[in-house]
Amino acid sequence: MIDLHCHILPGVDDGPESQDESLSMARKAVEDGIYTIVATPHTLNGIYINPVKEVTSRVAALQEALSKNHIKLQLYAGADVYLCPNMLERIESGDAGTINDSRKYILLELPSQIVPPGVKDEIFSLKLNGITPIISHPERNSAIQHDTDILYELIRMGALSQVTAMSITGDFGEMALQCSERLLKHRLVHIIASDAHSSDSRPPILSQAVEAAAEIMGNYEEAEHMVTEVPATILSGVIIEIPEPMRAK
Ligand SMILES: [Fe+2]
């Protein structure tokens, strides 16, 4: 499996504080069958900056530590970029990282309560320039929890959606669980990722969520693709075909 959204780099955000903690996370991921992780530190969220250059060198350092410790896990650079004006310029300046630095896909974090109207302009401009935004954890956004059509509209514009594994397993509460179920049933989810921050309370584990998603959708293969083929295609920077999304009403 591939984990496309994971705060595994030490000392760069509210993820692990030490390299030892990062290594514990990596061991846990490998145990779960994850062999590739995209390191996605918080970026431009008002607290953390994490420009591309810095993330790339920190990924190289952690990769070296993994190999010294005989942990077979491949890391790639990415970022969990908070929605802000002029996303395209921030990508071009190297302030906002894309997945695997390919400038084809970017993980986009929305505010937790609302979906700002400006998001449509940003998606439009990114798509026009060949960059596909991936909305991270829409199921934890209050506005989308109350109206999943908001996400439907963004997907119709060409965005993808990434749901958090722990939401699907019920560990983020009833609202996030119910929203995840609704999104999965209406083809409004393309990727399942851990959004892990630690080795214990928010670990990099995907297998349980895949099982749960398979049950919700009644389709194991589709759930499995959300942690294998879909993230692999995104990592390689190739355009992805997605099933027609459905309105949830
Ligand atoms: Fe995140």
Short mmCIF file of all heavy atoms in Angstrom, two decimals, residues 2-4 190-192 225-236 240:
data_model
loop_
_atom_site.label_atom_id
_atom_site.label_comp_id
_atom_site.label_asym_id
_atom_site.label_seq_id
_atom_site.Cartn_x
_atom_site.Cartn_y
_atom_site.Cartn_z
N ILE A 2 0.27 2.33 -0.45
CA ILE A 2 0.95 3.63 -0.49
C ILE A 2 0.15 4.60 0.38
O ILE A 2 -1.07 4.70 0.24
CB ILE A 2 0.99 4.17 -1.94
CG1 ILE A 2 1.76 3.22 -2.85
CG2 ILE A 2 1.58 5.59 -1.98
CD1 ILE A 2 1.68 3.57 -4.33
N ASP A 3 0.85 5.30 1.27
CA ASP A 3 0.19 6.29 2.11
C ASP A 3 0.53 7.68 1.58
O ASP A 3 1.67 8.14 1.69
CB ASP A 3 0.65 6.13 3.56
CG ASP A 3 -0.21 6.96 4.51
OD1 ASP A 3 -1.15 7.62 4.05
OD2 ASP A 3 0.08 6.93 5.73
N LEU A 4 -0.47 8.33 1.00
CA LEU A 4 -0.24 9.59 0.29
C LEU A 4 -0.23 10.82 1.19
O LEU A 4 0.13 11.91 0.76
CB LEU A 4 -1.35 9.75 -0.77
CG LEU A 4 -1.04 10.56 -2.01
CD1 LEU A 4 -0.03 9.87 -2.90
CD2 LEU A 4 -2.32 10.83 -2.79
N HIS A 190 -11.49 9.22 -3.54
CA HIS A 190 -10.57 8.58 -4.48
C HIS A 190 -9.36 7.95 -3.80
O HIS A 190 -8.76 7.03 -4.33
CB HIS A 190 -10.10 9.62 -5.51
CG HIS A 190 -11.25 10.35 -6.12
ND1 HIS A 190 -11.61 11.62 -5.76
CD2 HIS A 190 -12.18 9.93 -7.02
CE1 HIS A 190 -12.69 11.99 -6.42
NE2 HIS A 190 -13.06 10.98 -7.18
N ILE A 191 -9.03 8.49 -2.63
CA ILE A 191 -7.83 8.02 -1.92
C ILE A 191 -8.15 7.86 -0.44
O ILE A 191 -8.85 8.71 0.14
CB ILE A 191 -6.68 9.06 -2.05
CG1 ILE A 191 -6.33 9.29 -3.53
CG2 ILE A 191 -5.44 8.64 -1.27
CD1 ILE A 191 -6.42 10.73 -3.94
N ILE A 192 -7.62 6.80 0.16
CA ILE A 192 -7.64 6.68 1.62
C ILE A 192 -6.18 6.85 2.06
O ILE A 192 -5.29 6.19 1.53
CB ILE A 192 -8.17 5.30 2.08
CG1 ILE A 192 -9.63 5.11 1.62
CG2 ILE A 192 -8.08 5.17 3.60
CD1 ILE A 192 -10.16 3.69 1.82
N HIS A 225 -7.99 -0.16 -4.39
CA HIS A 225 -7.39 0.77 -5.36
C HIS A 225 -7.08 2.13 -4.72
O HIS A 225 -6.18 2.83 -5.16
CB HIS A 225 -8.33 0.97 -6.56
CG HIS A 225 -8.23 -0.16 -7.54
ND1 HIS A 225 -8.96 -0.19 -8.71
CD2 HIS A 225 -7.49 -1.30 -7.52
CE1 HIS A 225 -8.67 -1.30 -9.37
NE2 HIS A 225 -7.79 -1.99 -8.67
N MET A 226 -7.86 2.48 -3.69
CA MET A 226 -7.68 3.79 -3.05
C MET A 226 -6.38 3.88 -2.25
O MET A 226 -5.99 4.97 -1.82
CB MET A 226 -8.87 4.08 -2.12
CG MET A 226 -10.16 4.30 -2.88
SD MET A 226 -11.53 4.60 -1.75
CE MET A 226 -12.87 4.75 -2.94
N VAL A 227 -5.74 2.75 -2.01
CA VAL A 227 -4.44 2.76 -1.32
C VAL A 227 -3.33 2.12 -2.17
O VAL A 227 -2.21 1.95 -1.70
CB VAL A 227 -4.52 2.03 0.06
CG1 VAL A 227 -5.44 2.76 1.02
CG2 VAL A 227 -4.96 0.58 -0.12
N THR A 228 -3.68 1.76 -3.41
CA THR A 228 -2.66 1.13 -4.27
C THR A 228 -2.58 1.86 -5.63
O THR A 228 -1.77 2.77 -5.79
CB THR A 228 -2.98 -0.36 -4.49
OG1 THR A 228 -4.33 -0.50 -4.99
CG2 THR A 228 -2.84 -1.17 -3.21
N GLU A 229 -3.48 1.49 -6.55
CA GLU A 229 -3.35 2.02 -7.91
C GLU A 229 -3.54 3.52 -8.01
O GLU A 229 -2.82 4.19 -8.75
CB GLU A 229 -4.37 1.32 -8.82
CG GLU A 229 -3.93 -0.09 -9.14
CD GLU A 229 -4.83 -0.78 -10.14
OE1 GLU A 229 -5.47 -0.07 -10.95
OE2 GLU A 229 -4.89 -2.00 -10.10
N VAL A 230 -4.52 4.05 -7.29
CA VAL A 230 -4.78 5.50 -7.39
C VAL A 230 -3.59 6.31 -6.87
O VAL A 230 -3.05 7.15 -7.60
CB VAL A 230 -6.11 5.90 -6.70
CG1 VAL A 230 -6.32 7.41 -6.77
CG2 VAL A 230 -7.29 5.16 -7.31
N PRO A 231 -3.11 6.04 -5.64
CA PRO A 231 -1.93 6.82 -5.21
C PRO A 231 -0.69 6.55 -6.05
O PRO A 231 0.15 7.45 -6.22
CB PRO A 231 -1.72 6.39 -3.75
CG PRO A 231 -2.57 5.21 -3.52
CD PRO A 231 -3.66 5.23 -4.53
N ALA A 232 -0.55 5.34 -6.62
CA ALA A 232 0.61 5.05 -7.47
C ALA A 232 0.56 5.92 -8.73
O ALA A 232 1.58 6.47 -9.17
CB ALA A 232 0.64 3.57 -7.85
N THR A 233 -0.61 6.06 -9.30
CA THR A 233 -0.78 6.89 -10.50
C THR A 233 -0.46 8.35 -10.16
O THR A 233 0.22 9.05 -10.92
CB THR A 233 -2.23 6.77 -11.03
OG1 THR A 233 -2.51 5.40 -11.21
CG2 THR A 233 -2.40 7.50 -12.35
N ILE A 234 -0.96 8.80 -9.02
CA ILE A 234 -0.71 10.19 -8.58
C ILE A 234 0.79 10.42 -8.37
O ILE A 234 1.34 11.43 -8.82
CB ILE A 234 -1.52 10.47 -7.29
CG1 ILE A 234 -3.01 10.54 -7.64
CG2 ILE A 234 -1.04 11.75 -6.60
CD1 ILE A 234 -3.93 10.56 -6.44
N LEU A 235 1.45 9.47 -7.74
CA LEU A 235 2.89 9.58 -7.50
C LEU A 235 3.67 9.69 -8.80
O LEU A 235 4.68 10.39 -8.89
CB LEU A 235 3.39 8.35 -6.74
CG LEU A 235 3.72 8.53 -5.28
CD1 LEU A 235 4.20 7.21 -4.70
CD2 LEU A 235 4.76 9.61 -5.05
N SER A 236 3.19 8.98 -9.83
CA SER A 236 3.92 9.02 -11.09
C SER A 236 3.54 10.24 -11.93
O SER A 236 4.10 10.45 -13.01
CB SER A 236 3.71 7.72 -11.87
OG SER A 236 2.34 7.57 -12.16
N ILE A 240 -5.36 10.81 -13.99
CA ILE A 240 -6.14 9.68 -13.50
C ILE A 240 -7.59 9.76 -13.98
O ILE A 240 -8.14 10.85 -14.08
CB ILE A 240 -6.04 9.66 -11.96
CG1 ILE A 240 -6.35 8.30 -11.42
CG2 ILE A 240 -6.91 10.68 -11.31
CD1 ILE A 240 -5.79 8.12 -10.03
#
